[in-house]
Amino acid sequence: MYQIDDLTKTYRQGKREVRALKNVSLTIGDGELVAVQGPTGGGKSTLLQMLGGLDRPTSGTVKLDGKDLAAMSDTQLTAARAETIGFVFQNFNLIPTLTALENVETALVPSKIARQSRTARALAALDSVGLGDRGDHLPGELSGGQQQRVAIARALVKNPKVLLADEPTGNLDEETRDEIVDLIEGLWKEQGLTIVLVTHDSVVAARTPRRLRIAKGAMKELPA
Amino acid sequence: MFFTYLRRELRNRRKQTVVVAIGLAVAIALVIVVNAVSTGVKDAQSEVLASVYGVGTDITVDQPSEGPVAAGSSPGRFDFDEGEGEANEDGTRDLSDDRLSTAMGTAPFDASALETVAGLDHVSGVAASLDLENMSFSGEMPDLAAMEESGAGDVTLRMGQDGTGDGSAGGSSFEINRFTVTGVDPDAAAVGPLTTAEVADGRTLEADDKNVAVLDATYAEQQELAVGDTITVGGKDLEIVGTVSSTTGDGVATASDAYLPLATAQTLADLADQVTDVYVQVDSAENVDAVAAAIESELPDASVSTQSDLAEGVTGSLSTASDLVGTLGTWLSAIVLAAAFGLAILFTVSGVNRRTRELGTLKAIGWSRNRVVGQVAGESVVQGLIGGAAGLALGVLAVWAVNLAGITLSGASGGLTMGGASEMMRAGPAGTVQGGGTAPDGGGGGAFGERPDAFAGAAGDAVDIVLQAPVSLWIVLAAIGLAVLGGLLAGVVGGRRAAKLRPAEALRSLA
Ligand SMILES: Nc1ncnc2c1ncn2[C@@H]1O[C@H](COP(=O)(O)OP(=O)(O)OP(=O)(O)O)[C@@H](O)[C@H]1O
Ligand SMILES: [Mg+2]
């Protein structure tokens, strides 16, 4: 799924340069579930941005299904994000003014499908995360775990090839964390998704078949 | 989704939405009111002009003069020879005079100008009038001989604001009466001063009328004159055949106190074949300037004024209102509009800043830059539309209130009246009688001084007009356009910010 070669990302803050990723090379196969661990500031989120086409590498290539994200135009990147990549964030990042159902629908807006089938698909996605009856609730009316479920439904409603999750359980208590990890694991098994899951929770990481560790921009594979 | 999201967002930040909408509403209401009122004031100005010069008059021609010109002697100056009048026992003399002459500052010119103008291209109608002033004096003055003996000093006499005066100091007691007289051509119905007058009583002037007068209804009422009575003009008693009132409004005076057939006026004023004004109608508006230029070259001595020239000469509360609305109103609405636009931009930008993560997330999940920008701009435009609609309602309501208030503007055309009543009261020297005792040459008898210009104006010449401020379709469209513009402007600024937002902002852990 992903073929990453000699990836370097440098942030410039005035005169100071921060090398968030240093010559990272990595291959992630189709349908893999990979956990990325590491200390804070190590470069986990930066790697996820490169994988998700949210930002461009300073050098190196990030091939998704053989196509280099670094070489794509803005329009192509937007299309890739809209169709192929699903995101889940630590803070859920739901639109506070839209209901749960509408939030899920926002992910289908770029694909310009008819309103009715859009709503139907969003409802089905909400159902699959166990919130079929909460569609008309605003995010503020839902618990953290429920909000993250809505966010997962939003990420998956478009049937992406990869799911990128940045600390999806970072803001949840242990019990809810396990529920969410169960959910992600279940979806992975069911749908054959490729999932990259950033976490510094070793309990979460322990449940994944493959683990990576990034510290100071350098990446290494952890033994299974 | 676009409208759902937009509606939710605007409702969520209700306070900002309301503040921005109110700002825009006030600005737009102000634009509407200022425009409506200034249109109303302009209409009032042209009504003043119409009531003075008549409807359909595009150009007026007159001839200014340096000093007063009249047949025989100066207007407003009564010269009595020594020994004139009837001597009384108490050392005074009874004197009376009635004089018809042209008004101050205008000179009569040959009526042949009428044909000259009529012969020009694009002239569709002409009429001439002879504007006169009738002054009458009656009373007793100190006998010269008696004054010289007693050595009495200056005698002062005061004039009232209606152009009448009386005095009794130094053994004099008299009355001065003044009214304006216009000789009009009864045949020329389409152009001229009587086109804005309608018959109030009796009839108007007819083609073969002679030695009759039609009075302004307001003047007639003041003087307690009615159809069938007579009025003395230039020493001759004329039958009053009718009264006329202005079509402009109730109780509004017409341009002149009395109207005579042109020929009668010319005879009485001893100004055969002379006129003071020529009214010209031009076939279409774009030819007005060309015709005015042609008249100027044909009649080099004449002063040629177009409607727009005349509008500048309108004085009184009207011109004050016009200035006020024109400058202050325009500035005020420009400033408020700018403030409202600034407010809209500020709130939109701060809204985008507040929603950095939200908008970044939308980009991260595949919304294109244009879609995000469109969403932000759409919110601003709708906000502008709400403000525009509210402003429209507010503005129309305010204009309605202005019209309901019935504000009366008083205006006078500069050419005809100069100064108001109060100026006349202060016109001290005007009323100073050179008493016989101090007359330098002794030959003048009871001559009294030249009237200053202030006296040339009588309050009766000012026209009162109730302000009617119209709201045109154009200003409604312009107001809505301005509101949308304000929204768009804010949307563009906010949208540019949203466009620059990196989708990676979605991953920032801090809200
Ligand atoms: N936009 C940016 N501009 C400048 N420096 C940045 C930017 N984003 C990240 N960095 C820097 O790059 C380095 C890696 O950051 P990154 O967010 O990838 O770490 P992380 O592993 O996700 O940390 P955490 O566990 O706290 O989320 C850090 O030193 C960070 O300060
Ligand atoms: Mg991070």
Side-chain angles (χ1 to χ4, degrees):
Chain A
M1 179 64 52
Y2 276 109
Q3 184 81 47
I4 296 152
D5 252 321
D6 206 17
L7 174 64
T8 297
K9 177 67 183 179
T10 313
Y11 290 112
R12 221 173 270 279
Q13 275 182 325
K15 283 188 179 165
R16 215 165 57 90
E17 277 196 353
V18 180
R19 296 186 71 191
L21 290 176
K22 296 173 195 164
N23 310 96
V24 172
S25 294
L26 168 73
T27 304
I28 298 172
D30 284 6
E32 262 197 286
L33 169 54
V34 184
V36 180
Q37 287 181 279
T40 187
K44 304 183 293 294
S45 295
T46 305
L47 176 68
L48 217 58
Q49 285 174 34
M50 299 303 130
L51 296 178
L54 297 185
D55 207 347
R56 291 171 190 279
T58 310
S59 67
T61 55
V62 181
K63 284 185 180 157
L64 170 59
D65 261 352
K67 276 168 266 168
D68 187 6
L69 294 178
M72 281 186 184
S73 69
D74 281 352
T75 316
Q76 286 171 318
L77 268 186
T78 300
R81 288 200 299 266
E83 293 156 16
T84 320
I85 303 162
F87 268 106
V88 176
F89 309 94
Q90 179 173 355
N91 298 301
F92 326 132
N93 289 14
L94 297 176
I95 311 301
T97 50
L98 297 180
T99 64
L101 183 66
E102 287 159 354
N103 262 287
V104 177
E105 283 187 66
T106 56
L108 293 175
V109 164
S111 58
K112 288 174 184 147
I113 56 172
R115 194 197 177 111
Q116 272 157 323
S117 60
R118 190 177 77 194
T119 309
R121 275 176 68 175
L123 254 176
L126 268 185
D127 242 355
S128 72
V129 297
L131 287 176
D133 57 341
R134 296 299 175 95
D136 55 354
H137 285 240
L138 289 174
E141 299 162 353
L142 299 172
S143 72
Q146 287 171 328
Q147 286 190 53
Q148 196 61 300
R149 282 167 190 265
V150 174
I152 290 168
R154 177 177 67 181
L156 297 182
V157 69
K158 60 195 173 193
N159 295 324
K161 288 182 181 155
V162 290
L163 177 68
L164 305 177
D166 195 1
E167 309 270 13
T169 58
N171 279 7
L172 303 174
D173 60 38
E174 281 182 22
E175 204 175 316
T176 323
R177 174 196 71 189
D178 292 341
E179 277 174 37
I180 294 294
V181 175
D182 286 346
L183 176 66
I184 291 174
E185 210 174 29
L187 290 166
W188 170 63
K189 282 180 181 150
E190 257 171 54
Q191 302 185 7
L193 277 168
T194 306
I195 298 179
V196 180
L197 197 137
V198 168
T199 180
H200 47 226
D201 190 332
S202 344
V203 177
V204 175
R207 293 177 57 171
T208 60
R210 186 182 173 193
R211 286 179 293 151
L212 304 171
R213 181 183 157 82
I214 301 183
K216 292 180 179 170
M219 203 204 67
K220 72 174 188 208
E221 198 101 20
L222 291 177
Chain B
M1 185 55 71
F2 175 77
F3 287 107
T4 311
Y5 188 15
L6 191 153
R7 204 176 57 235
R8 296 285 176 72
E9 179 58 30
L10 288 185
R11 208 164 54 186
N12 188 47
R13 48 181 161 106
R14 229 176 272 107
K15 264 188 208 141
Q16 279 108 312
T17 306
V18 166
V19 168
V20 169
I22 286 177
L24 282 170
V26 168
I28 276 144
L30 208 59
V31 168
I32 290 174
V33 170
V34 166
N35 177 278
V37 170
S38 75
T39 307
V41 169
K42 266 197 210 100
D43 288 353
Q45 267 178 330
S46 54
E47 275 190 53
V48 168
L49 292 177
S51 67
V52 175
Y53 296 99
V55 170
T57 300
D58 298 308
I59 300 170
T60 60
V61 182
D62 61 9
Q63 195 162 313
S65 73
E66 294 298 307
V69 176
S73 70
S74 311
R77 185 185 176 98
F78 294 94
D79 296 307
F80 298 107
D81 290 334
E82 202 172 342
E84 197 177 303
E86 228 170 278
N88 293 328
E89 304 224 332
D90 60 358
T92 61
R93 271 172 189 281
D94 282 343
L95 297 167
S96 77
D97 195 7
D98 196 66
R99 178 168 300 119
L100 188 62
S101 59
T102 55
M104 190 77 181
T106 55
F109 51 93
D110 202 89
S112 65
L114 198 62
E115 275 90 74
T116 311
V117 173
L120 294 172
D121 284 345
H122 304 299
V123 170
S124 55
V126 282
S129 77
L130 182 61
D131 279 356
L132 301 166
E133 242 171 31
N134 194 84
M135 299 277 296
S136 65
F137 180 98
S138 67
E140 39 183 53
M141 295 290 286
D143 196 319
L144 231 194
M147 292 295 278
E148 263 165 2
E149 272 163 36
S150 67
D154 287 356
V155 175
T156 303
L157 145 156
R158 285 191 186 78
M159 299 214 179
Q161 50 174 294
D162 55 354
T164 60
D166 63 289
S168 56
S172 61
S173 148
F174 52 86
E175 198 180 32
I176 297 167
N177 244 302
R178 173 193 168 274
F179 57 91
T180 52
V181 176
T182 302
V184 294
D185 183 357
D187 287 335
V191 214
L194 271 183
T195 46
T196 47
E198 59 190 5
V199 175
D201 193 19
R203 62 174 179 85
T204 187
L205 294 173
E206 282 164 11
D208 47 359
D209 271 341
K210 241 186 179 169
N211 296 332
V212 296
V214 165
L215 296 193
D216 173 71
T218 315
Y219 180 72
E221 200 180 326
Q222 251 171 39
Q223 300 296 314
E224 292 173 1
L225 290 170
V227 174
D229 292 347
T230 60
I231 181 167
T232 310
V233 179
K236 189 170 178 70
D237 288 344
L238 304 179
E239 189 196 345
I240 299 167
V241 295
T243 61
V244 290
S245 60
S246 171
T247 50
T248 307
D250 286 340
V252 172
T254 62
S256 189
D257 295 328
Y259 298 89
L260 313 185
L262 184 58
T264 305
Q266 285 168 337
T267 311
L268 292 176
D270 207 5
L271 291 166
D273 283 329
Q274 301 277 295
V275 295
T276 56
D277 295 87
V278 172
Y279 299 84
V280 185
Q281 193 173 44
V282 178
D283 58 4
S284 91
E286 65 253 31
N287 294 326
V288 168
D289 287 338
V291 171
I295 297 172
E296 263 166 1
S297 69
E298 288 286 335
L299 305 168
D301 293 336
S303 146
V304 178
S305 316
T306 61
Q307 278 285 353
S308 54
D309 295 337
L310 295 171
E312 283 165 20
V314 172
T315 60
S317 66
L318 243 182
S319 69
T320 315
S322 164
D323 286 352
L324 204 72
V325 170
T327 55
L328 195 84
T330 307
W331 275 109
L332 193 67
S333 39
I335 289 168
V336 174
L337 204 62
F341 279 18
L343 205 68
I345 291 171
L346 202 77
F347 276 136
T348 304
V349 168
S350 85
V352 171
N353 288 344
R354 188 175 45 79
R355 291 201 285 162
T356 300
R357 196 152 60 97
E358 176 178 330
L359 298 175
T361 300
L362 287 172
K363 283 186 173 182
I365 66 169
W367 280 39
S368 66
R369 194 175 55 205
N370 285 350
R371 191 180 295 279
V372 172
V373 169
Q375 192 71 42
V376 169
E379 288 165 11
S380 297
V381 170
V382 168
Q383 218 165 33
L385 278 174
I386 294 171
L392 193 63
L394 197 68
V396 169
L397 213 69
V399 170
W400 179 72
V402 165
N403 286 338
L404 212 67
I407 297 164
T408 304
L409 295 170
S410 139
S413 177
L416 290 186
T417 56
M418 296 172 255
S422 56
E423 273 171 82
M424 249 178 294
M425 293 291 278
R426 277 184 263 107
T432 303
V433 171
Q434 297 281 307
T438 55
D441 54 2
F448 83 76
E450 301 283 352
R451 293 167 314 150
D453 284 355
F455 190 58
D461 285 356
V463 179
D464 286 341
I465 282 161
V466 175
L467 180 68
Q468 276 303 318
V471 176
S472 67
L473 181 67
W474 281 115
I475 194 63
V476 167
L477 292 180
I480 293 171
L482 271 177
V484 173
L485 183 76
L488 263 178
L489 219 61
V492 165
V493 178
R496 280 172 63 106
R497 254 193 131 71
K500 274 190 274 179
L501 250 168
R502 293 165 53 242
E505 295 288 347
L507 288 179
R508 286 248 283 248
S509 48
L510 282 172

